[in-house]
Every structure is written in structure tokens, then in C-alpha cells.
Amino acid sequence: MAAANAPIAMKEVLTLPSIGISPQFITFTNVTMESDKYICVRETAPQNSVVIIDMNMPMQPLRRPITADSALMNPNSRILALKAQLPGTTQDHLQIFNIEMKAKMKSHQMPEQVVFWKWISPKLLGLVTLTSVYHWSIEGDSEPVKMFGRTANLVNNQIINYKCDPSEKWLVLIGIAPGAPEKPQLVKGNMQLFSVDQQRSQALEAHAASFAQFKVPGNENPSILISFATKSFNAGQITSKLHVIELGAQPGKPSFSKKQADLFFPPDFQDDFPVAMQISHKYGLIFVITKLGLLFVYDLETASAVYRNRISPDPIFLTSEASAAGGFYAINRRGQVLLATVNEATIVPFVSGQLNNLELAVNLAKRGNLPGAENLVVQRFQELFAQTKYKEAAELAAESPQGILRTPDTSVPVQAGQTPPLLQYFGTLLTRGKLNAFESLELSRLVVNQNKKNLLENWLAEDKLECSEELGDLVKTVDNDLALKIYIKARATPKVVAAFAERREFDKILIYSKQVGYTPDYLFLLQTILRTDPQGAVNFALMMSQMEGGCPVDYNTITDLFLQRNLIREATAFLLDVLKPNLPEHAFLQTKVLEINLVTFPNVADAILANGMFTHYDRPRIAQLCEKAGLFVRALQHYTELPDIKRVIVNTHAIEPQVAKEYCEQLGVDACIKLFEQFKSYEGLYFFLGSYLSSSEDPDIHFKYIEAAAKTGQIKEVERVTRESNFYDAEKTKNFLMEAKLPDARPLINVCDRFGFVPDLTHYLYTNNMLRYIEGYVQKVNPGNAPLVVGQLLDDECPEDFIKGLILSVRSLLPVEPLVEECEKRNRLRLLTQFLEHLVSEGSQDVHVHNALGKIIIDSNNNPEHFLTTNPYYDSRVVGKYCEKRDPTLAVVAYRRGQCDDELINWLICALSCGHRYVVERMDGDLWENVLNPENEYRRQLIDQVVSTALPESKSPEQVSATVKAFMTADLPHELIELLEKIVLQNSAFSGNFNLQNLLILTAIKADPSRVMDYINRLDNFDGPAVGEMAVEAQLYEEAFAIFKKFNLNVQAVNVLLDNIRSIDRAVEFAFRVEEDAVWSQVAKAQLREGLVSDAIESFIRADDATQFLDVIRASEDADVYSDLVRYLLMVRQKVKEPKVDSELIYAYAKTDRLGEIEEFILMPNVANLQNVGDRLFDEALYEAAKIIFAFISNWAKLAVTLVRLKQFQGAVDAARKANSAKTWKEVCFACVDAEEFRLAQICGLNVIIQVDDLEEVSEYYQNRGCFNELISLMESGLGLERAHMGIFTELGVLYARYRAEKLMEHIKLFSTRLNIPKLIRACDEQQHWKELTYLYIQYDEFDNAATTVMNHSPEAWDHMQFKDIIVKVASVELYYKAVHFYLQEHPDLINDMLNVLALRVDHTRVVDIMRKAGHLRLVKPYMVAVQSNNVSAVNEALNEIYVEEEDYDRLRESIDLHDNFDQIGLAQKIEKHELLEMRRVAAYMYKKAGRWKQSIALSKKDNLYKDAMETASQSGDRELAEELLVYFIEQGKKECFAACLFVCYDLIRPDVALEMAWVNNMIDFTFPFLLQFIREYTGKVDELIKDRIEAQKDVKAKEQEEKEVIAQQNMYAQLLPLALPAPPMPGMGGGFAPPPPMGGGMGMPPMPPYGMPQMGSY
């Protein structure tokens, strides 16, 4: 195969010798390549150095003099890791350097040698030692962390690789070792796979491995796969395999099935083995590289072989993934750096043609977006559509290589009556990714036609659509904002600029143009903006002036544009801003702005001059204009010639001297103030005091200034002074501001906030309804004073909703403790519930927050115990104290949680008498010492309670031990005895405690000897020898004898009798009991005289007499002396061979528990009836012996039952498996259940439940014993059985319904096809699982029952989307209307959505009647609007009724026009007297539509709607009505209406009648237009040529008129010349920007000539 046609392309990227790397250093230990970015080479000659090769610049290697044993470059960044062994040790020193920053990042000294290391991620180094594997992060100061220990299969292996999956949850370590002795040349590979989550390892044979992620269809989460290659030698055969398996399969999700394939090595490569594996995530291919240069390529999903070839003649020792190219790099011993990539043009044709694997070819093409499979994909797409598998077809299109199916040529058929395939197609594409431009446009067109704009918004937000200019044009028809977003994303710059201009967002035009590098036509834009928004034009012009590189339009041109439209103010605002720099080159513009304002607005010019912002203007010219405008002071400032000054100076009436300032030093400030106040000149006072305020600290001056400013309306100045001044009288100022009641409360807020009058402020603002200032104060000024505000609002009885909103608006800024104190003081703590819960949800740990929340929960009794026990942040003392008077039990819980011992003990003893339990539970020595102190007044009471109640109830040994120790420490022996009696003698959990029994007896020996004997008789578990010796020392001999006898200490007992008690008779009696050689040597004859059977047996043995063996056996059984009987029967058996003897011997062995002898006996020849013996032993509960017998005779069923009795359940299960009987399985299963051996019971149960008849019996047995979870586990295990039947799935569903409802729904959904649905329906009904019951009804196609269930049990079963799907499938029509009632009662907000689904099924009239009876007709208005197109009378009338009530006359008129099926006359009569004029107009319109012309005209005349009356008369075609209307207008004196009516009713009115009426009523002038029109009409019909000539003349005149108007507009600026200046304004006129005089007059007034220009004549 030619290299050009090969599916894998090989390329030599670099040769290491070509860049100066010596061949001796091209080895596995010297060369590292951690990614496709860097190669690192370690050299040791001629000097130690490290060479770093950047693959982007391979011919420019970086060589650094570094001595190290190993060097690794980080996969992503220029970070170098170095490793060097410390001299004389086995320890390695590790260092990490940042090459760019030339700094050491981290270092660490490993205690053991690192044999292999590797970057497993850009932030993590993997370190492999001889015994363990560590991870070392480059971030922070962390040290290496041990991950796992190496398994035994890697001992003495050379580690060649270490990898982790992307989630770092799976790790794999790979090593190689010498091969087997019979084939040593084949290297053995070993692998250790480790799970981080499970902390477990698995040892496998493998030479190379790699991780991958793969998305299994049906599972939204990717699966983690591991692929590994192995080549092994077993039994003389070489096996080479590739495995692909899933790690950590996800429960309940589709999983990846295990794949494997053979690796075919050519005969010449039998000793070759894999050394590396790389996975192309881009194409889903596995690359296996061998040592001798072979390359195997396999498909990841199917493990199908794709390609094999030798890529290098030299051994390959290192590989690295080339992620961007979808291939890998390989380095061989010659130093070649090879790049293997997929040949995108040939791999798909190769797989489909050479390999004939069409499915793999299509999958490769889809996965890698590759060419070559177009025909296959198109053919498959057409097949799917032909089969109506639209979803599969859409998925194929979404994954089609290179988008070959996602073009306009892809046709999607349309089928009537079904969901359009096109929508299914697009819907599936959206779930798989982003649509292209064409698809986006087509889908948007569908959505726009259906008026579902919100879908477009969601898709654009999720980046599901590709934006284009065409898409923006389409969306612009429904939403301009959304269209703008699309234009921006599509980079349709002209459209974006036009859209910004339409929205008047002119600032964004400049910003956007700069961002995208677009240069718009600024002059055109400015002209466009001027037409609609002059102020916006000013802002736009200013923004242009601030552009980098200067303004694109000349300032003078911009100014002329404003002036041409008489926009003086706007032109002034623009020029004032751009001329701020006061540059000489702007002299002309400075003069211009002053000229136009001196002519039009002199006060503005005066203000400009006062600011002194211009200095380069034409001063003589401005001086003349100032004089003409009456600004004589300004004129004096500008004139320099003496005649001019003399002429102006005489205008003293306009030049006011500053009296107050000049004479204040003579009169004094106080006198001046009094003078101003005397004449109530507050404005003068304001200006006067303003000049002294900054230098005065007199409180009176500051107050007077505030007062004057307030009275002159200078609110901003009042606000500033109250905020900044520290000298005014706060109380006096506060009172004044409250009395003044300024519209702006900020000055009062400043005073009250600064000087602590917050409650007064709050009261004032609330009572004056200035709530927004309260909000502003709390939110922006001083949130810390919010508690005072809230407290005052509560005192003022402010609505709680406002207070809550105020608190929530500040939230975390509020000081919680004072707020809680204010609310608690007023018993309104519950008001803070929502606020406190917000703080808690935000993670607040403030103790005051949790204290307050706890108090609220306690008061509201909202499960306070849960809060007190689970909340770790509240103060136990505070909350406990709060609980004492409310709920003592809660106080205990709070104190206990905080270990508030003193408070809790006092409270418990005083209030609840249960402090003793707490003391015992605490086990605190200091606490015990405190409560047992003799000075404690509750000591006796506490001791009695501890002894009588607390300790006997305790189950904790530590508590008992602590209590006893406390009593001993307090030296309370009698109380201790009383305590121990309670514990030890009264059947407590510690009755058999060894130490407590010892302590009780010893304490009694010391304190109360009379009780010792009773204790000895009643106690069994104490130290007999030690206590006996203590009793002897205390001279309690009888007690000591009883102790020794009780513990079978016969020698000591006899010593007590003989040495201490000195009673020989009792010693003899004791000897009879012990039967020991030392004792029986003295009493042997006495035993014989007693005639004991044992003695008789001995006599028979001595006599060697076997004739009476039946009698001896019977007597022995009666006397129960089987030990002697065994010896006797052994003697008898030597003489006779009787089954009775052998059987009785086995029985005697069993009775004496000599099981070993039984085993030996049955192995020897005997004549015993073993089956009968076994049954006898079983019946008498000698199960161990019976087990031996049944095992010997292979009676497995009986053996299983016997082992059950012995509690040997594992053996019983094994025996049952051999018996393989349903009855046996069942018996063993039930026994294991009783013994709670549920694992074994499950093994047995799995063999039982496969029988349908036994399933219910097993289930009932488990349930009767309350083993519900175990039964569920058994059934769940049974699901995987090959013989699993429907009964198991159904029974498990029933169990879930009864005991584990949370898993029921999942079970039903997974196994709905394998369930006995009717049975499970009954179970769900009984257990009231309505949601699951609904689902089952749906699966069983019982939609009526499903709908009924949802409506009857809506709190659990109702889901809106599901119910909509159900209700459309029900068979009973009545359910539709029941659903309407249901939604009306419970979900009225969704009723329209539900009705829209039923729109094609319900009777709209009936629905309207239902809603009308319920009184909620308006609720379904959207539904009625949607179905009104059906033109149903009830719907039309209902909607019209709503429109009338809402006075929505526009919608009413629209409804009337489009839908006529209703009582039109009735509606007209109803609204003809409506108080709203437009409604009456609609009534007239309906009369007109109904042909009742007179009624319509009469109604219109009544409302003076003469136009409507005229139109009605015209449409009626009734000449009489039209002429009557003319008469009416004449009678009413409506001459204009008379003239208008002549035109409107032109076709109906006779000219002679009109002329007659006009002449009689002196209205001939108003008739002339009609008469002229009439004459015109007839003359026009006579002479068309005259008409054409007249029209031509009109065109000429219109053109001339237009030219004159243009000339007039261009000459408008000429009006500003001195010769045409208007007269100066009258003295006393106000300043500021006054509107210019109007260009034209109002009605009936002739237009005024603009600025002195003569009015142009008209033709």
C-alpha cells in the first residue's frame, strides 16, 4: 500500500543528533517526553547538562548546566522537575524549578529511592519507589502523599509507565520483568490497577495500558475505560491480547460491555512485545506500539482491528500523546522523533473498502468528522426517515461527518396529523449540540410563526443557535432586543449600528464601532439622531469629540447642523463642552456661541461670561451685543474706548451695588442679619451668610444659614451644611427641619443620624409617608441604626410587610443583637424569622442570629428539639434560660447540648427531679465531687435517685464505673453497697459483671458481714480464690467454705473443714461429692454399700459377665451413668455381635460427648443400625453426634437440618446444595432467617424463589419476622437470575411499596414490562403511593384511572406535564370537565395551559359555563382568546363581557370585527349607556354593523362623535339619513361639520339640496368646497387634457416651493446678523433656557415670521 493511501501517516519531525544530542544519551533513562510540547534530554558528557527541546522551536534547544539523575518537563508549562540521589544514601532529593521565573518552586527529600517518576497531570507528579507510589502536588507546601503500595507481581520489575485517568480516581502502574525460563527472550509484563475510592488493587498481566473516556448511548455521564495489551507464554503457547473494559460501572445506567481482540505478531516478531499504548480521544482509536517498531491500530468502541504496520526499523523506547493532532509521538534508539497521525482523507475509505467494515467506517466518520462515508450516511438517513424513525435520523444528522446532512439539501417530509418531523429533527439536534446557520434560521422561522419567542431566548442563552444576519432580520419582526443580540453575535456591523440608532443608544455605537474596527458615517448618524432626539444628538456629538484621533466631524459643521434646526440650547451645550480647553484656535467658535446666546438667551450668555471660561473671542463684537441685550455690566467689562464706556455707564437702573458686603464691617454681622430678617429678604440673607459660613463657628450663623437656604429652596445647600458642619444646634435644627417639612428629607436625615435622633427621624418620616427615605437611610446611610428604626416603626404600628422588606434589603449589614433586642423588647421577635433564615442560609454563624432563630422556633413550637440538638451555633445558656419558663424539657436539651453543668443540674433537680441521670451520663469526676459534697443540699436526694433509678437504667459500663468510683472517693460504703445491690442483684445489664461482684462482696466483708453469705449464694461470677482468702482472713469460715465449694476448689474446702471448722463428718460428706482419689481412698467401702450402678458395672467388668447386658443398659440409662456403661459395653462387644450393643455404644458415646470415638467406631466394622441411631440422636438433640452419622451415610437432607440445629449455617447451606431439594432449601432458608444469617438465607432463598409456588411463602416468612430489608435484598438479587420470572419482579415491587417507597418508582420504570401490573396496582393503592400508582395506570393504558388518581390525590401524584399527557388520552369525556374543576380549585394558574391541551376535545361552551358558574371567567381569558377562532357564541360573549368589564375597547372592537357569532344587538344595548365614551362608540359601531343606521347615528350624535355619524351615514347608502344629518349640523350650528359631512357623504348628497340648505342658512362658504369638488368632478370627466396640464402646473409649483423652503432654511443663520437682531428682552425677564418663540401659531392664528424674516407669500 502506498504511503499516501495508508490510514496512518508517519512523519519525521526531528532527529535528536541533528540538534547536538549524542547517540549515547538517546536512552530510556536519559530522554523524557511528558507531552507533545517538550522533550528533555539529560547529558553527562562532556559536562553534566539538561537539554530542553521546545517542539514549537525544535531547532533552538535550551541547554542548561544541571547535574541530576533524571529531569522531567511539565506537560503544559516551562516547569522542570529534577531528581538526584544523595551521596552515600538511598535517598533522593527532588526539586521543581520555574524556568521562566528562574526560581525554585518546591523541594523534598524522599526517605527512599525513587525508581520511576512521571507527570500524571500538569499539577501532579507521580513518584514510584521500591515499595510504594506517591503523588506530589506542585501547589502549596504539601509533601508527597502515599497513594498505594506496590503488589507482589511488581517485585523485581523495571517500572516503565505510570498513568491516571482524568478524574484521578484510577491509577495504573506498569513494569516489565525477565521472561519465563522456557522462553526468556519474551519479556513479561505486569500491571497493578488501583482504585482510589475503594482503596483496592488488582494485579494483572500487561505490557502497556491507557485510560479513556467513552460515552455509552443512554448514559449522559462518560464511562471510564482502561485498555491494556499483553503478550504471555503459557503451556508452550504465545497469547497476545488487547482488552478494553469499563472501570466503576454506574449503577442503573447502561454500561460498556467488555471487549477484547488478538494482537497478530508476524513470525519474525515473536519475541517482540508492546512497550506503549496511546489513545486518540479525537478519533476514538487505540495505538499499540511495540519495542521493535510495530504499530497496531484498534477501534476503542468495538476493539476492531483497523491497521498494522512497522513504523520504525529501530527499537522504540518512548512515546507521548499528540492530543491536538489525534496521534502520538515516538522516539527510537536512532534519535528519530516520529509523529503518527490519522490520514483523514483515506482512513474511512480504507476501513469501508479494504476491511469491508461499513459500520466502523460510519462510526469513525461521525466521531472524527471525516470524509469518505457520505454515501453510507445519506443512505442510512433516508432509510431511517422512510421508517419514520425521526429521532434516530436526527441523531445521525447531528453526528454526520462534516455536516453533510445538515444542509438545505436535506429534505424532511411533512405528514399531516402528526408532530412535524422537522420539529422532531430540530429537537433532537438541539439535544446533541449547536445548530448551524441554515438550521438555526429554519427552526427560528417555525418558532416565530408559532409566536414562541421564549424558546429562541433560551436557545440563544444556551448557545444552541448559530447567529446570522438573516436570523436577526427574522427575529427583528418580533423582538428588536433579541435581534440586536443576534446581529452582534453574527458581527453584522451595519445592522448593529442601525439597531443602536433605533434604540437611541448612541454611546454604544461608538464603543461597538471601536471594538469591531468599523467606521460609520458619523455625519449621517448625527443628522438621523437630530430628527428624533436633539439631546441624544448632543451626547453623541460630545462622544465623537472625545474619540481617539479627534472628532471625525468638524465642530463648526456640527454646530451648523444644530442651528439649522433652531436647536440653540443644544448647540450651546455642545460648544460649551468642547470649548472648555479655551484654545486660541477656537476663537471663532467662542464668539459664535456668545453671539447666538446674546441674541436669543442673554441670561445664558451672561452666565458664560461670568464663568470666565473663554478668553479668545472677539471682545468688541461681544461688547456691542451685550449692550443691545441689556447686559450693561458685561458691556462695561468688554469696552475699552471711553465713549463707549460713557454711553453704557449711565444705565444705573440695571447696575446694582453690593450694599451689604460693603457695609457689613461698619454695621456688624448681627445687625446685618437682623436687617435681612426684618425685610424678610431670605435670599439676601442666604448669600450674605454664605460668604461667612466657612470662617465662622457661631452656631447661630450656621443655623440662620440653614434656615435661609431652606426658605429660598436651596435644598442641596441645606443638605451639604447639615452633613458637613459641626457647629449648628442639632436639636434646634432638627425641630426647624421637621416644621419646615422640606420635600427632600436628606437634611433632616443628616442631623438625626449624626446627633442620635434616629427614633424621632423615623417617626417623622413614617407619619409624613416618606417611606422611601426610611429605606434609603437604612440601606445607604447607616445600616447600623436599623434596629432603632425598626423599633420605632414597631412603636408606630407600621405594617409588618414593610418592616420585613426593610430588614431583608439590608440583610447581612444589620447588627443582629440590637435588632433582636428591639424586637424582643416589643414581643415581635417572630417578625425576624425570614431575615434570620436568610442569614443562616448564607452561612452565618453569628451566635445572636442562631439564638434569636432558636427563640422563634421555640415560641412557634416548630420542631424545637431538632433545632436545639442539631444547631451548633446558639448559646446554650441564653436559649436554655429562655426555655425554662416555656418548656422545661427544651431547657434540658439546650443545657445538655452546651454542657452547662451547673445550670442544668440545678434546673433538673429543682424543676424536673431528673438531674441524677445527667450526672451519671456525664461521667465527670469533678461534677461528681461537686454533687456528693456534704454541703450540697441536694446530695441525699441525688444519691437516692442515682441508686434507685439512674444507674440501674444505665447500659454503659463506663457510667457505672465512674459512679462507683465517685462513691468510693466520697467514702460512702453503705450507699455503695446499696448501689451495687441494685446493679448486681436486680437483673441489670451488669448483674454478671466480674469486678462489680467482687466489689460488692469485699465491701460487705468490711462494712456488713451479715450479708456476705447471701451474696455468695446469689452471685456466680467473682474471683473465688481471692475472695475466699479474704473471708478466711476476716474469720468468716462458713462463707469461705461455701466459696471454695462453689468454685470446686476441693483441696482448699477440705482444708477449711479440717483446719478451721474442724468437722470430720462434713469432710466425709464433701468427699462423697467430689469423688477424687485423695478423698475416695477413705470412703470406698461406704460407696459400695450404697449399691450405686457404677459399682455394679465395676463388678461386672471384674467378673467378665456379659449375659445381663440388656438389664445393665436399662439400669444405666435410668441412672444416667453412660461413662461406666461405655466401659461395660466395650467389654460386652468383645463377646457378642449384637446391633443393640453397637447402637447403644454409639448412643453412650454421644451422651458422654465422645464424638471422636464415634467417628473411629463407625469407620470400623460394626453392625449398628446407623439410620435409626442418627434419628434417635437427632430427636434427643444430640446434634453433633447426629451430624457425624448423617454425614457418614450421606443423608444430605437430614444433615442440613441437623447443621441448622447446630447453628452451622454455612455447612447447612452446602448440605442443602447437595440435597438439592426445595423442601431442604426452604428449611435451611427459614432457619437462617431465624438466626439472622441473612447472607446464607439469601443463598437458599435464591434457590426457592425461582419456584413460583414457593415465592409467596418465603416472602411471608421474612415479613412475619420483620426482615423487610433482607427480603428486599433477596428479591433484588433474584432479578439477575437466569430463571427470574415475573413473580420476583412483581413481589419486589410490592415490597418496595410497603417498606421502601423511595425505590418503588425507579423499579417500576426499569422493569415495567416484567411486572404483574394489576397486582402492583393493588399494592400501591393499599399503601397509598399515588404517584407510582399513576405511573402504573399509564403503563397499563388505564388513563382514566390515572387521571382520577392524580385529581383525587394531587398533593403527591400531580405533575402538570404528566397530567397534560394523561388527560388527552382518557376515554371518558367527563374527565375533561372534572379536570377543569380540579385545576380551578387547586392550580388555577395553570388552567389555561391545561385547557390549551384539551382545546380540540372539550366543548368550549361547557367550559365557559363552568367558569362562569365558578365566578372565575377572567381566569381562562387566554384560553378563550386562543379558541375564539372557532367563533363559538359562548366564548365570544364571555370575552366580550370581559372586555367590557376591563373597558378594553380596542380588544372589544377587534373581537367584534373578527368573530360575529354572538348577540350583537344585546351587547350594543348593554354598552350604549356605558360611562366610557369609547365603549359607547363601540355600541354605535355594532349598530352600524347590524344595519341599524339610525340608532348608530343617534348614538354618535349624542356623544358628539360627528365623524362616526358621518361615516355611518355614508356607509348606509341612505340619502335621507345623510341629508337629515346635514340638517342636524345646521340646527346645531356646526358649520365645519356641515362642510365635512358634504365630503364624507359626497355620493349621497344632492348638490341642489346642499346649495339650498347652505343658502337658506347663510353657510354658502362652507358649501363651496363640496360644490367645487362636484364641479371639478364633472369638468374632469369632460376634459382630461386640462386635468393633465393642471397637474403639470402643480408639480412645477411644488418644486419651486420646495426650493424656496430650502433657501429659507439655509438662510436661517442669517437671522442672527446684527441687522436682523430682535429687540432685547424686557427688564426683569427670568434667566435660564427659555424655549424659543414658536415658528407658527395655533388654530385660527396665522404663523409668525421666524426671527424677523418676512413671511414668504404663497401661490
Side-chain angles (χ1 to χ4, degrees), residues 1348-1496:
T1348 303
T1349 302
V1350 171
M1351 290 187 284
N1352 291 340
H1353 307 285
S1354 58
E1356 294 180 21
W1358 178 78
D1359 177 83
H1360 180 57
M1361 300 304 295
Q1362 183 189 55
F1363 187 78
K1364 288 199 299 183
D1365 294 336
I1366 296 171
I1367 198 65
V1368 297
K1369 299 177 183 177
V1370 299
S1372 174
V1373 176
E1374 286 304 313
L1375 284 175
Y1376 296 152
Y1377 307 104
K1378 187 177 180 181
V1380 173
H1381 286 289
F1382 167 72
Y1383 267 74
L1384 180 59
Q1385 294 173 4
E1386 296 193 20
H1387 305 285
D1389 55 326
L1390 298 174
I1391 191 170
N1392 287 289
D1393 192 17
M1394 191 273 296
L1395 286 171
N1396 287 336
V1397 174
L1398 297 176
L1400 299 177
R1401 295 172 173 81
V1402 296
D1403 181 354
H1404 304 308
T1405 302
R1406 185 172 176 183
V1407 172
V1408 171
D1409 290 341
I1410 291 172
M1411 300 307 297
R1412 189 183 296 279
K1413 290 177 182 178
H1416 297 291
L1417 195 58
R1418 289 193 184 185
L1419 191 62
V1420 293
K1421 177 182 174 183
Y1423 153 73
M1424 292 191 293
V1425 171
V1427 302
Q1428 194 179 10
S1429 58
N1430 297 323
N1431 203 17
V1432 177
S1433 174
V1435 175
N1436 293 337
E1437 290 179 355
L1439 274 175
N1440 293 338
E1441 179 181 336
I1442 292 173
Y1443 293 149
V1444 170
E1445 291 177 0
E1446 294 177 348
E1447 297 183 350
D1448 190 349
Y1449 46 85
D1450 290 332
R1451 298 296 297 273
L1452 178 61
R1453 182 181 287 268
E1454 180 183 352
S1455 173
I1456 292 168
D1457 287 337
L1458 298 179
H1459 312 289
D1460 57 356
N1461 186 10
F1462 66 96
D1463 184 3
Q1464 298 188 16
I1465 301 303
L1467 180 60
Q1469 291 173 347
K1470 180 179 178 181
I1471 65 174
E1472 67 178 347
K1473 296 182 180 179
H1474 198 283
E1475 61 182 2
L1476 191 65
L1477 173 63
E1478 287 294 333
M1479 299 302 292
R1480 298 197 298 273
R1481 189 177 183 187
V1482 172
Y1485 175 74
M1486 283 191 288
Y1487 281 133
K1488 180 173 71 174
K1489 286 192 66 176
R1492 298 193 177 187
W1493 312 106
K1494 289 186 177 181
Q1495 287 178 272
S1496 177

Side-chain angles (χ1 to χ4, degrees), residues 775-848:
E775 294 174 346
Y777 174 68
V778 172
Q779 295 169 3
K780 300 177 181 179
V781 179
N782 193 347
N785 279 341
L788 297 175
V789 175
V790 171
Q792 184 61 41
L793 289 175
L794 290 174
D795 292 340
D796 290 339
E797 300 182 357
C798 177
E800 285 192 1
D801 291 341
F802 175 75
I803 299 176
K804 289 180 181 178
L806 187 65
I807 294 173
L808 291 177
S809 67
V810 187
R811 292 174 73 171
S812 58
L813 298 178
L814 272 174
V816 178
E817 183 178 9
L819 179 62
V820 171
E821 181 181 347
E822 291 291 334
C823 292
E824 188 173 3
K825 187 191 306 178
R826 294 165 175 83
N827 197 22
R828 301 287 290 277
L829 193 57
R830 192 172 297 185
L831 180 72
L832 304 180
T833 302
Q834 188 177 1
F835 163 66
L836 297 172
E837 289 175 349
H838 271 297
L839 294 183
V840 172
S841 65
E842 292 171 356
S844 173
Q845 299 180 7
D846 188 351
V847 66
H848 302 295

Side-chain angles (χ1 to χ4, degrees), residues 982-997:
K982 281 283 186 181
I983 300 173
V984 176
L985 300 181
Q986 294 189 3
N987 195 24
S988 71
F990 306 99
S991 296
N993 187 278
F994 178 78
N995 293 327
L996 292 179
Q997 290 190 7

Side-chain angles (χ1 to χ4, degrees), residues 165 515 529 576 643 657 825 884 931 998 1167 1278 1320 1339 1599:
D165 74 307
Q515 288 176 347
I529 298 167
L576 288 178
K825 187 191 306 178
E884 286 184 2
V931 298
N998 286 336
V1167 292
L1320 194 53
Q1339 294 299 312
K1599 185 175 181 180

